Amino acid sequence: MSYSRIQQFSIVFAFIMITWGLLPFFNLDNTFLTSNTIASSTILFLIGIAYPLIVFKPQWNKAVLMIEGIVFAAVGLAFLQPLYNLIFLIIGAFFAILAILAYAKKLPSRLLKFFYKTPK
């Protein structure tokens, strides 16, 4: 089985992002975990998983975007300070609403082309 260059890149990218996301939990220099560290680690881990999923299974892009939006909003609300959690909530809601509109095919055609590939 051979992989395209973009698939190979996605595997390397996933390894890097997941490693960066997990690194703060392996406390090697006696620093404490803060809520900002937990939020950043969660987002990095999520990106590390989402990108290869979309590359290897393009039909999952709407579902992945929906899950990313929900997790992004939840992480912001749970771990960040009042102004930052509002920003994360807005961005997460935007991702989730965009995914719902893509499922319903209610987006403009120039945006729907990113979610539905037409055969050439």
Side-chain angles (χ1 to χ4, degrees), residues 57-117:
K57 296 282 189 183
Q59 63 271 22
W60 288 8
N61 62 2
K62 295 174 291 301
V64 169
L65 186 65
M66 170 88 79
I67 297 299
E68 279 184 349
I70 292 168
V71 171
F72 209 81
V75 164
L77 286 174
F79 295 113
L80 297 178
Q81 298 298 320
L83 180 60
Y84 297 110
N85 69 359
L86 182 61
I87 294 168
F88 271 62
L89 179 65
I90 291 170
I91 293 170
F94 173 74
F95 286 162
I97 290 169
L98 186 67
I100 291 169
L101 290 174
Y103 271 120
K105 295 185 180 179
K106 299 291 184 185
L107 291 173
S109 60
R110 61 178 163 55
L111 291 177
L112 276 177
K113 69 180 179 182
F114 295 112
F115 296 101
Y116 295 97
K117 305 292 183 197

Side-chain angles (χ1 to χ4, degrees), residues 15-101:
F15 177 74
I16 292 169
M17 287 297 164
I18 291 171
T19 303
W20 278 350
L22 294 176
L23 198 59
F25 295 102
F26 298 102
N27 194 0
L28 300 177
D29 58 351
N30 294 328
T31 58
F32 294 106
L33 287 176
T34 64
S35 58
N36 288 341
T37 306
I38 294 171
S40 300
S41 294
T42 306
I43 297 299
L44 285 171
F45 188 80
L46 178 69
I47 291 170
I49 291 175
Y51 184 69
L53 268 176
I54 292 172
V55 168
F56 282 96
K57 296 282 189 183
Q59 63 271 22
W60 288 8
N61 62 2
K62 295 174 291 301
V64 169
L65 186 65
M66 170 88 79
I67 297 299
E68 279 184 349
I70 292 168
V71 171
F72 209 81
V75 164
L77 286 174
F79 295 113
L80 297 178
Q81 298 298 320
L83 180 60
Y84 297 110
N85 69 359
L86 182 61
I87 294 168
F88 271 62
L89 179 65
I90 291 170
I91 293 170
F94 173 74
F95 286 162
I97 290 169
L98 186 67
I100 291 169
L101 290 174

